[in-house]
Amino acid sequence: MANAKPAVWIPRVLSQATLERAARDYEVILNEADTLSSAEDIVAMSARVDAMIPCHSEIFSADVAARLDPRLKIIANHSVGVDHCDLAALKARGVTVTNTPDVLSDATAEIAILLMLGAARRAVEGDRIVRSGGWSIWSPSFMVGKQVSGSRLTIVGMGRVGQAVARNARGFGMEVHYHNRRRLDAGKEHGAIFHDTLEGALGVADFLSLHCPATAETKGLMNAETFALLPDGAVVVNTARGALIDEDALIAALESGKVSAAGLDCFVSEPGGNPAFAAYDTIFMLPHIGSATVRTRDAMGFRALDNLDAFFRGEVPRDSL
Ligand code: DGY
């Protein structure tokens, strides 16, 4: 490390271990209030620091990128997703951008499985009935759901998280299908069935789990036309990004029965989610907590710091985008 420590802005409260390591090696400006930062906040801070460790909640649009102070050299994201960053605009300004792949795959896959099970087995409704004191009957026809084990699961986006979901799904004896830009090497497929078209993959999706990044191409991937391709009564899970789903089309698909239930950890509008979803017991919702475990938060923070350390040693960080 050079004598004068580089200055780093941390706009959200990261794990204690991350903050301690950051404070050891850098001059840290921490937003202890843990509030959302505006474009103006980000631009103003760029004149005071050499680096930032933002989360997906801080938006680096083309407009923000154009207004950044040249002092800012690196944005070491504390996230794997980088749809909050206009990468081309940041590159044009000479700002290095990194992310935190790998380390959150297992935690996010766990949440995908939780959502899949909870949606399929009517967890919202069941919890509400018991919690409210309204559980007055039991019958073989009471709260019958859709069985996960032995069903077909389609994964769209077979990257690290998708592969972790496939690993877990195999434990339930699910038949795994996937659609991805490229077919995986045979050694990584573990029997998963590749579909070179989205249409083909959706046609067998008794359960559908989305794991692709939000880009111009994937925005609204699930819409009225693509929901129509699913088998009747499909269960849809999204732990990737809200933008992948046209939320009005999802409601229409739930109303028609094309989709029997959904499990969502992310929404078009965050924080907050879609208030219209609250009327549906068939939607099992969580507030974007896919990677929210102690171990994974530490690992994400350390990976972001590893990228910063490499950059300030004059190396290309391993997760440079
Ligand atoms: C990610 O890393 O992209 C998760 O959504 C949490 O930010």
Side-chain angles (χ1 to χ4, degrees), residues 54-57 77-84 99-101 104 108 239-241 265-266 270 288-292 297 300:
C55 296
H56 74 269
S57 47
N77 283 297
H78 181 280
S79 68
V80 65
V82 287
D83 48 303
H84 59 290
N99 68 343
T100 57
L104 44 65
T108 306
T239 54
R241 285 294 184 264
D265 186 46
C266 45
E270 293 185 14
H288 201 140
I289 56 165
S291 53
R297 286 286 182 252
M300 292 170 76

Side-chain angles (χ1 to χ4, degrees), residues 4 6 20 43 98 100 119 142 154 187 205 230 250 255-258 261 298:
E20 282 170 13
V43 170
T98 62
T100 57
F142 174 58
T154 287
L230 296 170
L250 173 59
E255 290 284 353
S256 72
K258 171 53 81 176
D298 283 349

